[in-house]
Amino acid sequence: MFPALETELKQETLPDPYEDFMYHHLQYYGYFKAQRGSLPNSATHQHVWKNNPRYLLSGSFGEREDVIPDPLQKEKLLWPTCLCSTVHRQLEAVSRDSLMLGSPLLKSRQLLHDEFGEVNPCLREPRDLFAAFSSSGPLQAPRWPIECEVIKENLHHIEWVPPQPEYFYQPTGNEKLPEIVGEEKGTVVYQLDSVPTEGSYFTSSRVGGKRGIIRELAVTLQGPEDNTLLFESRFESGNLQKAVRVDTYEYELTLRTDLYTNKHTQWFYFRVQNTRKDATYRFTIVNLLKPKSLYTIGMKPLMYSQLDASTHNIGWRREGNEIRYYKNNRDDGQQLFYCLTWTIQFPHDQDTCFFAHFYPYTYTDLQCYLLSVANNPVQSQFCKLRTLCRSLAGNTVYLLTITNPARTPQEAAAKKAVVLSARVHPGESNGSWIMKGFLDFILSNSPDAQLLRDIFVFKVVPMLNPDGVIVGNYRCSLAGRDLNRHYKTILKESFPCIWYTRNMIKRLLEEREVLLYCDFHGHSRKNNIFLYGCNSNDRKYWLHERVFPLMLSKNAPDKFSFHSCNFKVQKCKEGTGRVVMWRMGILNSYTMESTFGGSTLGHKRDTHFTTEDLKSLGYHVCDTLLDFCDPDRTKFMQCLAELKELLQQEIHKKFNELGQDMDLEGSWSDISLSDIESSTSGSDSSLSDGLPLHLLNIAHEVNQKKKMYKKKKKKPLQTRKQRNEQYQKNNLMRELKLMEDVPERAGFASTLQKQPTFFRNSENASSSTMRNDKPRLNELRGRDKGTSLDPSKMASLILTKNKERMQTEKPGFIVSCSPKRSTNPSQEPVPDMKPNWSRNRYPATRRGRTTMTVYPFLHIYTYP
């Protein structure tokens, strides 16, 4: 089998002196308790690591701890049970004498054994990244910015579907609009002090956030009769900055802006304790930023009672009365705020309740779900879990690859790809619930799910912005920027989640066609679920990008609204995922917007969406994919014909609004679709675009220096031609100034006396030229500043006058205009008048010999 190994096994082995010493040394100090002959074999069967439960690793993600305490037990587990008896006896003979085997073959941990016990000299496949985690092991703890205080409690909410529809709130018109009084007339009962302020930026993170003792921010109760509510938001995805008690049962709440910014207050999630059952409480959030909200058309906030969850198995539910969304009456002159107020009656005394803008879905919730998938022996066969990258804070961004193993390489290469992502905006948790519904279905044993895995390769990024989700941001990452405006970024270190996602899709496009890209979002101003897409410029695929949304509206008619879809590509959305992927070549590139409210369609009209409704949409996405890729193109062509008819109606409607008549027969398909559609009503994140905050300060300093430099210029020039003319003019004036100042320099006469007659005559000619040209120079200086001087004409004029004067003073001497040394004998001095070169090193003497300057543009000077 291995000649070198057989030869070594036949030889008589002697104990290694160093090994023998270390054996006695470790045994003496109690560090080695195994028998002398014990030897863990490194050439272990590959199956042992994956299938033996004793080899499952515990600890957090990335930490590897051996859970086998006894070395003897470890030896037995590591020992190969599938080796043939002959090789087994030979290895035992060697192991009795030496712990360190001499053969390099047996030292390797990459040798594999086949089913018959034969050793195959090939590398072991890399172990699955998360295949070794047990369901009882701890998860990767979230990493927080070091400025954030985090309580040690682990929160968990049960999933629950209300048995009855939760209808929108119907305004009565008598709702109270409480006047905002603030801290001046109220009592602060909760306030975060360790929140990063505007102007700072993210520097580092750690598990558990800020070091030190976690302070108690809530007020101290004076006794059992004290009915003050105790607030808390320093947990995962929590958001509440301050609570002010303005009346016995009335509180004004201030939300925390996205970290390192002064905007994006929308998401709230906080806890209250010490409740009273029979009292009516009023909560008013005073610093919301959006002028329009679903709360104006009946949306209710969510409440969760721990006593109801533990006793009645009731989870999150819509609650609240007297709901109003209105403009804040306190104007600070800087920013306009809006208020949300509602009243509530708690179901129990001394209960712990939570309020939220929408159903929370945290980073820990995602990890628990992915861990269950990784530990599922069936699902882990076709769902591979990998790390896409690490976020700014060091949290893992997960990538799932879901597909059934192909039977042949040709079948694998023929599969098309589908890319899905969610939670680029951390406060839009509805995207995570749709993603969860999609994963539940695609990982199931349903025949449709198996068919989808057979024909597609799914690339799924379930949480693009884990940092923002952890700290409770609504829209931004820890860079203080909206990641959905930076898909074109080259700043890998500042926006790693987006950069690696785009790079992954770019590589995917190189190896296979990507049929569909969809990014799951939430919408705060429109009900229902809809898609934003991109109009195709290729007439071959005209209206094809609208087929998938139309099919989805037919499969989910009570949730999905095709009329709310929009396919216009706006300039401000060029950095979004759907536009960037569309420009990379993905025709069906979408942003799925799911409302925070509910539906206005079908039998679910005027009711709030539950988590089950959102998860069902994930199933409908899979169902629509099958219809979209059906080999029978009947459905596709029917949808295409319906789209053309809808478009004709829209064009007629548009022209009627404009008061124009137009015959669309034969020419209507040439009309630009972008002219028909209005702009999308998505959030304006232009203020969250640009450089990350830690680079913004550097850019500000550079801009300040540029401004100071510009202030020094008297008159900024606009064109390159003007700059060139000004440059030549300045050089020429400098040369003329030098020529004018030569006779006035000190020491010029004494230097002139030491020079030969030849140079004196030349300088006299030059001086005569300058004296005669001085009026001309003054004439040039007296020109209007707005008149452009032609330096070439000025140089030609002076050069001509120099030639004339030189020939007048010395007719036999001709000025050369060539930069090279002349070879003409007529231009050389007389032999007996060999010049005696001056050695004077002073500048006045050096410049005193400048007899002529014929190339003022090239800065050529003549020095001794």
Side-chain angles (χ1 to χ4, degrees):
M1 185 171 55
F2 293 105
L5 176 60
E6 294 176 357
T7 304
E8 182 180 10
L9 292 175
K10 293 178 181 178
Q11 295 176 354
E12 182 179 356
T13 57
L14 298 175
D16 184 13
Y18 176 76
E19 180 186 349
D20 187 64
F21 164 76
M22 290 303 298
Y23 166 75
H24 290 289
H25 179 75
L26 295 176
Q27 190 179 46
Y28 176 78
Y29 286 102
Y31 293 109
F32 185 76
K33 297 181 180 180
Q35 298 296 325
R36 181 178 176 82
S38 64
L39 172 66
N41 183 18
S42 59
T44 312
H45 192 280
Q46 181 186 11
H47 214 57
V48 175
W49 285 101
K50 291 189 175 182
N51 297 336
N52 197 324
R54 300 184 185 180
Y55 281 91
L56 296 179
L57 304 182
S58 66
S60 62
F61 284 82
E63 296 179 0
R64 305 167 67 176
E65 296 179 3
D66 200 339
V67 298
I68 303 174
D70 189 0
L72 292 178
Q73 183 186 5
K74 185 176 181 180
E75 170 196 353
K76 294 176 182 178
L77 291 173
L78 283 169
W79 205 263
T81 57
C82 56
L83 290 178
C84 59
S85 58
T86 305
V87 176
H88 201 168
R89 287 194 300 269
Q90 292 173 336
L91 293 177
E92 284 181 341
V94 177
S95 65
R96 284 195 299 268
D97 298 305
S98 177
L99 276 172
M100 302 293 292
L101 298 181
S103 172
L105 295 173
L106 293 179
K107 284 183 179 180
S108 173
R109 293 183 178 273
Q110 300 298 327
L111 290 182
L112 306 181
H113 296 80
D114 57 21
E115 299 296 334
F116 304 101
E118 299 294 332
V119 179
N120 299 319
C122 61
L123 291 178
R124 184 191 307 274
E125 286 292 327
R127 284 170 35 208
D128 292 341
L129 188 60
F130 301 107
F133 296 136
S134 64
S135 57
S136 60
L139 301 172
Q140 179 187 11
R143 299 183 63 88
W144 295 70
I146 57 174
E147 302 96 336
C148 297
E149 288 185 348
V150 185
I151 62 175
K152 303 302 182 184
E153 301 177 42
N154 294 322
L155 304 181
H156 174 69
H157 304 304
I158 64 172
E159 289 190 37
W160 176 72
V161 180
Q164 300 296 328
E166 297 179 310
Y167 287 93
F168 292 157
Y169 173 74
Q170 299 299 324
T172 63
N174 299 322
E175 289 82 7
K176 177 184 175 182
L177 296 182
E179 183 180 355
I180 308 304
V181 298
E183 302 179 21
E184 294 80 6
K185 299 181 182 180
T187 304
V188 178
V189 295
Y190 177 82
Q191 183 168 6
L192 289 180
D193 297 325
S194 59
V195 177
T197 58
E198 181 188 2
S200 60
Y201 52 85
F202 172 77
T203 55
S204 59
S205 65
R206 66 183 297 269
V207 174
K210 189 175 183 180
R211 296 180 183 274
I213 300 175
I214 304 300
R215 298 173 299 145
E216 184 62 44
L217 297 184
V219 295
T220 303
L221 298 179
Q222 302 302 317
E225 301 300 324
D226 191 347
N227 57 5
T228 304
L229 290 180
L230 305 179
F231 290 82
E232 185 58 81
S233 66
R234 294 171 296 172
F235 46 79
E236 193 174 351
S237 296
N239 189 313
L240 179 66
Q241 172 75 35
K242 183 171 62 175
V244 179
R245 188 182 189 186
V246 297
D247 203 349
T248 306
Y249 298 110
E250 188 170 344
Y251 295 85
E252 291 180 0
L253 310 178
T254 301
L255 302 184
R256 174 183 55 75
T257 60
D258 284 5
L259 291 190
Y260 312 108
T261 74
N262 62 348
K263 45 190 173 292
H264 304 305
T265 52
Q266 181 76 25
W267 169 260
F268 61 88
Y269 177 30
F270 58 89
R271 182 184 73 186
V272 293
Q273 293 176 310
N274 194 35
T275 63
R276 298 295 186 267
K277 178 180 180 181
D278 297 326
T280 300
Y281 291 82
R282 177 177 290 277
F283 297 102
T284 304
I285 300 174
V286 301
N287 67 328
L288 297 170
L289 290 173
K290 292 188 175 183
K292 296 181 180 179
S293 173
L294 287 170
Y295 289 109
T296 61
I297 53 176
M299 176 176 161
K300 294 182 179 181
L302 282 161
M303 191 195 74
Y304 183 95
S305 167
Q306 283 194 350
L307 285 178
D308 279 345
S310 59
T311 58
H312 304 294
N313 201 32
I314 297 176
W316 289 98
R317 59 184 186 266
R318 300 282 180 172
E319 292 288 351
N321 287 298
E322 299 186 40
I323 302 172
R324 286 295 300 270
Y325 191 90
Y326 60 100
K327 186 184 297 185
N328 193 327
N329 57 4
R330 302 190 66 178
D331 186 9
D332 58 359
Q334 297 179 354
Q335 200 165 20
L336 187 62
F337 292 112
Y338 294 84
C339 299
L340 168 66
T341 185
W342 74 94
T343 60
I344 191 74
Q345 288 186 341
F346 293 108
H348 304 285
D349 285 328
Q350 300 297 328
D351 193 5
T352 297
C353 294
F354 294 84
F355 289 95
H357 179 59
F358 200 73
Y359 300 97
Y361 192 93
T362 65
Y363 182 64
T364 300
D365 292 334
L366 173 68
Q367 287 184 304
C368 290
Y369 182 83
L370 297 182
L371 194 61
S372 66
V373 173
N375 289 330
N376 188 305
V378 177
Q379 294 178 346
S380 59
Q381 296 299 315
F382 49 79
C383 178
K384 300 301 179 183
L385 186 60
R386 294 291 182 266
T387 297
L388 176 66
C389 65
R390 298 281 180 175
S391 64
L392 276 182
N395 294 296
T396 303
V397 180
Y398 298 102
L399 172 66
L400 283 72
T401 303
I402 304 172
T403 188
N404 282 339
R407 291 183 290 271
T408 63
Q410 293 77 15
E411 181 183 338
K415 288 186 178 183
K416 296 181 180 180
V418 173
V419 181
L420 303 175
S421 61
R423 296 301 285 278
V424 67
H425 293 152
E428 297 171 359
S429 58
N430 28 15
S432 285
W433 290 106
I434 296 178
M435 178 64 75
K436 187 175 187 298
F438 166 80
L439 292 175
D440 285 343
F441 179 78
I442 201 66
L443 297 176
S444 68
N445 58 359
S446 165
D448 286 347
Q450 294 178 12
L451 178 59
L452 284 170
R453 296 196 300 265
D454 286 335
I455 61 179
F456 289 115
V457 176
F458 292 92
K459 294 286 186 178
V460 181
V461 186
M463 193 169 285
L464 275 166
N465 189 356
D467 295 346
V469 173
I470 290 169
V471 302
N473 278 3
Y474 174 63
R475 198 166 187 87
C476 296
S477 70
L478 293 184
R481 293 290 178 261
D482 183 353
L483 294 183
N484 200 35
R485 297 296 183 272
H486 289 84
Y487 272 89
K488 296 192 294 185
T489 185
I490 60 173
L491 302 176
K492 179 171 65 173
E493 288 76 17
S494 300
F495 307 108
C497 313
I498 296 305
W499 191 93
Y500 279 99
T501 300
R502 185 192 63 192
N503 192 56
M504 179 268 295
I505 297 175
K506 182 180 178 181
R507 288 184 297 170
L508 188 64
L509 283 167
E510 294 174 354
E511 62 183 46
R512 67 182 73 248
E513 177 188 350
V514 177
L515 178 70
L516 181 136
Y517 165 86
C518 190
D519 189 21
F520 297 151
H521 285 249
H523 206 284
S524 63
R525 288 179 285 179
K526 293 171 66 176
N527 278 313
N528 305 314
I529 302 173
F530 47 94
L531 288 174
Y532 290 147
C534 303
N535 283 320
S536 176
N537 298 324
D538 191 347
R539 307 307 295 179
K540 178 181 177 182
Y541 302 104
W542 190 60
L543 296 180
H544 283 205
E545 72 281 351
R546 303 179 182 224
V547 173
F548 183 85
L550 184 60
M551 287 183 171
L552 187 55
S553 69
K554 295 180 180 298
N555 290 331
D558 55 345
K559 303 181 186 71
F560 190 90
S561 170
F562 179 77
H563 294 286
S564 297
C565 297
N566 197 292
F567 301 88
K568 186 173 184 177
V569 179
Q570 300 170 252
K571 186 176 181 181
C572 63
K573 303 297 177 68
E574 284 290 336
T576 59
R578 68 175 171 99
V579 177
V580 171
M581 303 310 162
W582 173 64
R583 298 200 183 280
M584 287 172 58
I586 304 176
L587 175 64
N588 302 295
S589 181
Y590 305 107
T591 297
M592 179 174 287
E593 298 281 355
S594 57
T595 180
F596 288 107
S599 173
T600 61
L601 307 170
H603 72 278
K604 293 192 68 65
R605 184 180 182 88
D606 296 333
T607 61
H608 289 89
F609 280 150
T610 65
T611 56
E612 199 63 30
D613 292 326
L614 297 177
K615 289 194 291 184
S616 69
L617 195 80
Y619 156 73
H620 288 305
V621 169
C622 297
D623 191 30
T624 307
L625 267 176
L626 288 175
D627 293 336
F628 189 71
C629 300
D630 194 340
D632 182 3
R633 306 300 287 169
T634 303
K635 290 182 180 179
F636 188 94
M637 300 310 296
Q638 287 178 352
C639 288
L640 206 57
E642 185 177 343
L643 284 170
K644 291 179 180 179
E645 184 178 352
L646 288 173
L647 186 61
Q648 276 186 314
Q649 297 175 2
E650 189 68 25
I651 294 174
H652 278 293
K653 180 180 177 182
K654 198 75 173 179
F655 277 99
N656 290 334
E657 292 176 356
L658 297 175
Q660 299 177 3
D661 295 329
M662 182 178 180
D663 183 13
L664 299 179
E665 292 298 330
S667 62
W668 68 274
S669 60
D670 296 329
I671 298 176
S672 175
L673 300 180
S674 299
D675 297 334
I676 302 171
E677 291 182 309
S678 59
S679 300
T680 61
S681 59
S683 299
D684 181 15
S685 293
S686 57
L687 296 177
S688 298
D689 200 357
L691 290 173
L693 293 175
H694 70 282
L695 297 180
L696 202 60
N697 295 332
I698 301 175
H700 179 70
E701 294 176 2
V702 173
N703 291 333
Q704 290 296 327
K705 291 181 180 179
K706 287 182 179 180
K707 290 180 181 179
M708 293 177 61
Y709 178 74
K710 289 180 179 180
K711 288 180 180 179
K712 295 179 181 179
K713 295 183 178 181
K714 295 182 179 179
K715 186 177 181 181
L717 301 174
Q718 300 298 325
T719 64
R720 179 175 296 180
K721 180 180 179 181
Q722 289 175 318
R723 291 197 299 269
N724 291 341
E725 290 180 354
Q726 183 65 38
Y727 178 74
Q728 293 178 353
K729 175 183 174 181
N730 293 340
N731 287 338
L732 182 60
M733 298 302 294
R734 186 162 52 250
E735 298 299 335
L736 293 176
K737 181 66 175 175
L738 288 174
M739 294 171 63
E740 183 181 8
D741 293 343
V742 165
E744 300 175 3
R745 294 191 178 275
F748 177 79
S750 59
T751 306
L752 192 61
Q753 293 176 0
K754 297 179 181 180
Q755 293 177 352
T757 307
F758 169 74
F759 291 101
R760 287 202 302 272
N761 294 338
S762 301
E763 290 180 3
N764 290 338
S766 178
S767 299
S768 176
T769 302
M770 288 187 290
R771 284 194 300 271
N772 294 333
D773 286 339
K774 193 167 184 180
R776 177 62 178 168
L777 179 62
N778 293 333
E779 180 184 351
L780 291 173
R781 291 179 178 174
R783 287 177 180 236
D784 184 14
K785 293 183 179 179
T787 306
S788 175
L789 292 175
D790 191 343
S792 59
K793 293 182 180 180
M794 185 179 293
S796 302
L797 177 62
I798 296 175
L799 188 58
T800 304
K801 288 185 175 292
N802 283 340
K803 290 181 181 180
E804 293 174 358
R805 298 304 181 189
M806 294 299 251
Q807 291 176 2
T808 302
E809 295 292 333
K810 193 174 183 64
F813 183 77
I814 301 175
V815 179
S816 174
C817 296
S818 175
K820 298 182 181 179
R821 189 179 297 273
S822 176
T823 57
N824 191 344
S826 63
Q827 297 180 11
E828 295 294 331
V830 184
D832 58 347
M833 297 184 63
K834 183 177 181 180
N836 182 18
W837 295 101
S838 172
R839 300 299 180 184
N840 195 338
R841 298 176 61 186
Y842 289 98
T845 307
R846 293 161 67 99
R847 293 193 180 101
R849 294 199 60 258
T850 307
T851 58
M852 63 191 78
T853 307
V854 296
Y855 286 94
F857 316 118
L858 302 179
H859 305 282
I860 298 179
Y861 299 89
T862 305
Y863 294 123

